[in-house]
Amino acid sequence: MPASEPLRGRGAGNRPAAPATAYSGTAKKLPLALLVFFSALLYSQIQPPPPKVPGSPGGPPVTANRTKLRDGRHLAYLESGVPKEQAKYKIIFVHGFFCCRYDVLNVSQGLLQELGIYLLSFDRPGYCESDAHPARTEESIAVDIVELADNLQLGPRFHLMGFSMGGEIMWSCLKHIPHRLAGVAILAPVGNYWWSGLPPDVYQEAWYVQFRQDRAAVWVAHHLPWLANWWNTQRLFPSSSVKARNPAIYSKEDKPLTAKFAQRAHNKQVTQQGEHESLHRDMIVGFGKWGWSPLQPGNPFAGVGDDVKVHLWHGVEDLFVPVALSRHISKRLPWVIYHELPTAGHLFPVADGMPDVIVKSLLLGDG
């Protein structure tokens, strides 16, 4: 036996060793395979389910009056008050978060008849029976409102009222369709903490009024919109207290008013298409990256006349939307008529008698 040849024993030592290259190749591929697996798992978790289209197989039934928009979507609407052909005033109401066309302000029949008011409300895209709009932007809802008004032949100008998330939409309407507006009432509007022109001290004051989980939900909607569906449906961390209707978010004056929402016959219909294209899309758009800011000076009605008024209402005890945002906006925009309610919370527009007060202020300048 040559001296250089190693001695071989018997048994297991005589078996050929596994090729080192095959083992190392498998070891190198394992992390990649795990990465692909967990990436696919994460992707499936964060993808929202498709909306349940009203009137489609498996979707909710269509029971409302609806109008078709140019892009093929439908908006469901509800008319009240005097017939539009006889109306002196035509008002379109824009509902808030977790609401629909039925949540229009409960203006008294006496006032509707006395002043000759036609009142129109509609389901915003993705809510109740209006088709979802995955490409929705802060501008697109203003365009939808104009199309709705034109389809129903409301004439060249109309009044607008918007509450909460619908109140934020009023700023978009003032920006994009001022030529169609006869007056605007903005009620407890949501504000975007990333609007340019918002001073750091106002930002800090407003930001920290929110609960921690609401700050997180808003931050995700702004910075990681693709994660909004997962964040607002997961159970690892507390998500939006507004969405969850956390009792702690209601002020003293709000609490007796919550029954008006809890007892709604249409509660289940509001998000019957799914939460993503209604609630989550609201957050993504409302707290998203706007290309402009309502804080930019300039009266949209300059040169049009003094008859067009913009009223901004906010309750000091509002825990949904900090009053600091509306206070600052009212100081920056002198053409806005500001009404601050010292003991009111977020739900003041539904308090008994308050809808009439708001409407009289808008149409007659009372209050």
Side-chain angles (χ1 to χ4, degrees):
M1 178 183 299
S4 59
E5 183 177 345
L7 293 173
R8 297 182 181 270
R10 293 183 179 181
N14 291 329
R15 294 174 189 159
T21 54
Y23 176 80
S24 62
T26 301
K28 289 178 180 178
K29 291 178 181 178
L30 182 59
L32 179 60
L34 290 174
L35 176 62
V36 171
F37 172 76
F38 285 113
S39 296
L41 183 63
L42 176 62
Y43 182 79
S44 67
Q45 291 293 316
I46 66 177
Q47 288 304 297
K52 299 176 181 178
V53 180
S56 69
V62 174
T63 62
N65 292 321
R66 302 205 304 172
T67 187
K68 190 173 183 178
L69 305 181
R70 285 192 296 268
D71 64 5
R73 290 181 296 113
H74 295 83
L75 290 183
Y77 63 89
L78 178 68
E79 299 171 289
S80 57
V82 304
K84 57 177 176 276
E85 296 80 11
Q86 303 171 17
K88 181 178 179 181
Y89 300 105
K90 297 165 185 174
I91 302 176
I92 299 177
F93 177 79
V94 184
H95 69 75
F97 190 78
F98 222 134
C99 295
C100 70
R101 67 188 184 278
Y102 291 122
D103 296 302
V104 60
L105 287 194
N106 188 25
V107 183
S108 70
Q109 287 298 316
L111 187 64
L112 293 173
Q113 296 295 325
E114 177 188 345
L115 297 184
I117 299 170
Y118 165 84
L119 183 56
L120 174 67
S121 60
F122 67 101
D123 295 334
R124 292 195 286 108
Y127 280 98
C128 214
E129 294 185 40
S130 284
D131 293 335
H133 190 193
R136 177 156 47 120
T137 66
E138 57 79 22
E139 181 179 0
S140 67
I141 186 62
V143 176
D144 286 355
I145 289 171
V146 166
E147 282 200 61
L148 173 66
D150 288 345
N151 287 0
L152 297 184
Q153 300 180 333
L154 298 193
R157 294 205 301 171
F158 46 83
H159 288 79
L160 278 181
M161 294 192 299
F163 172 42
S164 192
M165 192 64 79
E168 185 187 47
I169 288 169
M170 298 298 97
W171 299 119
S172 293
C173 293
L174 288 165
K175 168 70 173 179
H176 300 294
I177 59 168
H179 58 291
R180 300 300 301 271
L181 306 180
V184 179
I186 309 172
L187 314 175
V190 167
N192 188 315
Y193 299 93
W194 293 270
W195 281 337
S196 62
L198 192 63
D201 60 325
V202 176
Y203 168 86
Q204 291 285 331
E205 179 183 356
W207 182 252
Y208 287 103
V209 167
Q210 302 177 100
F211 295 157
R212 184 187 298 272
Q213 61 261 42
D214 294 324
R215 296 199 299 268
V218 167
W219 189 94
V220 168
H222 181 81
H223 292 287
L224 303 172
W226 50 270
L227 199 60
N229 178 70
W230 178 83
W231 183 265
N232 288 288
T233 55
Q234 54 78 33
R235 298 184 179 181
L236 299 175
F237 313 102
S239 59
S240 168
S241 61
V242 177
K243 179 186 171 187
R245 304 285 183 176
N246 185 339
I249 204 168
Y250 296 109
S251 73
K252 181 180 178 180
E253 289 195 10
D254 279 341
K255 287 177 180 177
L257 301 173
T258 59
K260 293 177 181 284
F261 291 92
Q263 297 169 1
R264 298 183 304 183
H266 56 273
N267 263 337
K268 292 183 179 179
Q269 292 177 265
V270 173
T271 57
Q272 64 185 354
Q273 297 184 56
E275 291 187 349
H276 187 68
E277 289 301 335
S278 51
L279 307 182
H280 306 162
R281 186 68 61 189
D282 258 5
M283 298 174 71
I284 291 169
V285 175
F287 300 112
K289 297 173 182 177
W290 293 28
W292 62 282
S293 170
L295 293 163
Q296 295 168 350
N299 186 344
F301 305 114
V304 175
D306 296 331
D307 61 321
V308 183
K309 303 295 184 184
V310 177
H311 295 261
L312 172 59
W313 298 73
H314 215 118
V316 171
E317 300 301 319
D318 192 336
L319 298 178
F320 286 70
V321 183
V323 70
L325 296 173
S326 287
R327 277 179 182 165
H328 182 71
I329 289 174
S330 69
K331 293 175 182 177
R332 286 288 299 271
L333 307 178
W335 44 273
V336 169
I337 303 169
Y338 183 50
H339 309 259
E340 186 168 289
L341 308 177
T343 61
H346 189 66
L347 303 182
F348 71 85
V350 304
D352 291 344
M354 199 63 199
D356 283 16
V357 172
I358 293 167
V359 168
K360 285 182 179 179
S361 175
L362 175 63
L363 301 181
L364 306 178
D366 295 353

